[in-house]
């Protein structure tokens, strides 16, 4: 199975520009016959916590229909990052579109303290089945929470994929942590990061994947690009 990690630069708060960029990367992934493409944390809006309440998406938001259409056309699983409006407040979510299937929403359960003024803890699920493989997701800070990876692997996940928005120092820490998750659980691990300005930091890229021994297999630098992972 081929998975595409979309390392992109977003325009803070500009849904139109960001949406067009998502579509372009989805079409590239489809042309390369990927089975799934995943974008960074809050990719549709950019990682901008102070803007999230005004930019949040509802479950049936018409602006999201294009992703279901593309998923159906290309037979491609698409995961995009967005703030979502829930009954209890705004969540940081990964919206998952599958061909001819109901949309699934993975929402960040473990928030960084800096995010708590803007977001609420959400519900997530142990894994998504793609091409008969069980993939567990994490959103940024969750990869640092020991219980999160433990729950994913205990639930039967066969690989671990983190959608993040991290600075250079954050990437260094994430790489070490993800290598350990891969090694200790003997599963392949992936991370997709943003690049460019975000909130009060600069996204540092370096999206990567690790094998089940915790060895890094491939990574991007700090430019926009797709990283294709064969699992």
């Amino acid at each position: 199975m081929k998975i595409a990690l979309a390392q992109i630069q977003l325009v803070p708060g500009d849904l139109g520009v960001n949406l067009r960029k998502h579509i372009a990367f989805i079409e590239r992934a489809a042309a390369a016959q990927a089975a799934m493409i995943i974008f960074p944390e809050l990719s549709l809006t950019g990682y901008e916590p102070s803007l999230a309440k005004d930019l949040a998406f509802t479950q049936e938001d018409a602006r999201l229909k294009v992703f279901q259409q593309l998923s159906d056309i290309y037979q491609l699983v698409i995961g995009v990052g967005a703030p979502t409006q829930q009954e209890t407040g705004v969540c940081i979510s990964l919206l998952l579109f599958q061909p001819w299937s109901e949309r699934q929403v993975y929402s960040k359960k473990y928030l960084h303290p800096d995010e708590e003024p803007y977001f609420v803890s959400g519900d997530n699920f142990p894994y998504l089945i793609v091409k008969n493989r069980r993939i567990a997701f994490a959103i940024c800070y969750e990869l640092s929470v020991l219980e999160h990876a433990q729950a994913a692997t205990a639930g039967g996940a066969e690989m671990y994929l983190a959608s993040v928005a991290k600075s250079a120092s954050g990437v260094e820490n994430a790489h070490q942590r993800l290598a350990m998750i891969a090694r200790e659980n003997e599963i392949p691990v992936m991370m997709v990061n943003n690049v460019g300005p975000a909130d009060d930091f600069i996204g540092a890229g370096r999206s990567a994947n690790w094998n089940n021994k915790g060895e890094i297999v491939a990574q991007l630098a700090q430019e926009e690009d797709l990283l294709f992972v064969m699992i």
Side-chain angles (χ1 to χ4, degrees):
M1 177 171 61
K2 181 184 289 187
I3 298 173
L5 305 179
Q7 180 170 290
I8 60 175
Q9 180 170 338
L10 292 314
V11 178
D14 194 326
L15 297 178
V17 171
N18 295 338
L19 180 61
R20 289 191 291 273
K21 182 165 290 188
H22 278 67
I23 292 171
F25 272 73
I26 289 167
E27 291 176 341
R28 283 181 58 193
Q33 299 184 320
M36 181 170 72
I37 181 171
I38 301 293
F39 289 86
E41 182 179 23
L42 294 177
S43 59
L44 283 177
T45 61
Y47 185 85
E48 301 292 334
S50 64
L51 302 179
K53 184 177 180 180
D54 292 333
L55 298 175
F57 291 79
T58 61
Q59 176 68 16
E60 300 303 325
D61 199 305
R63 294 171 295 178
L64 299 172
K65 289 183 179 179
V66 63
F67 295 114
Q68 188 61 57
Q69 293 168 349
L70 291 169
S71 177
D72 296 341
I73 291 169
Y74 294 124
Q75 296 296 292
L76 177 67
V77 177
I78 300 169
V80 301
T84 58
Q85 185 65 55
Q86 310 293 338
E87 290 185 4
T88 55
V90 177
C91 290
I92 298 174
S93 298
L94 185 65
L95 306 175
L96 293 154
F97 302 85
Q98 303 172 81
W100 308 107
S101 299
E102 183 177 356
R103 182 186 313 159
Q104 294 198 47
V105 180
Y106 175 100
S107 295
K108 192 174 187 176
K109 180 178 181 180
Y110 298 101
L111 298 172
H112 189 278
D114 290 347
E115 296 170 335
E116 292 176 354
Y118 307 99
F119 302 103
V120 297
S121 175
D123 296 324
N124 48 44
F125 47 84
Y127 56 79
L128 183 75
I129 298 177
V130 180
K131 300 288 186 181
N132 297 317
R133 303 294 298 276
R134 292 169 290 190
I135 303 174
F137 297 99
I139 299 179
C140 210
Y141 181 69
E142 290 186 319
L143 67 86
S144 303
V145 178
L146 182 62
E147 292 82 3
H148 186 270
Q150 289 177 335
T153 53
E158 299 173 278
M159 60 190 81
Y160 191 80
L161 200 167
S163 170
V164 310
K166 289 189 177 293
S167 65
S169 60
V171 167
E172 287 294 336
N173 293 332
H175 273 220
Q176 294 178 30
R177 172 64 182 153
L178 290 167
M180 184 176 71
I181 290 173
R183 184 170 57 251
E184 291 185 349
N185 296 284
E186 298 183 342
I187 58 173
V189 169
M190 293 156 276
M191 182 194 82
V192 58
N193 192 21
N194 64 349
V195 293
D199 192 34
D200 60 352
F201 66 93
I202 302 296
R206 295 181 61 197
S207 300
N209 73 288
W210 294 259
N211 63 22
N212 59 7
K213 296 179 182 179
E215 301 165 337
I216 197 162
V217 176
Q219 68 173 309
L220 298 177
Q222 295 182 357
E223 72 284 346
E224 287 189 305
D225 205 353
L226 280 175
L227 178 63
F228 290 103
V229 179
M230 294 298 299
I231 300 293

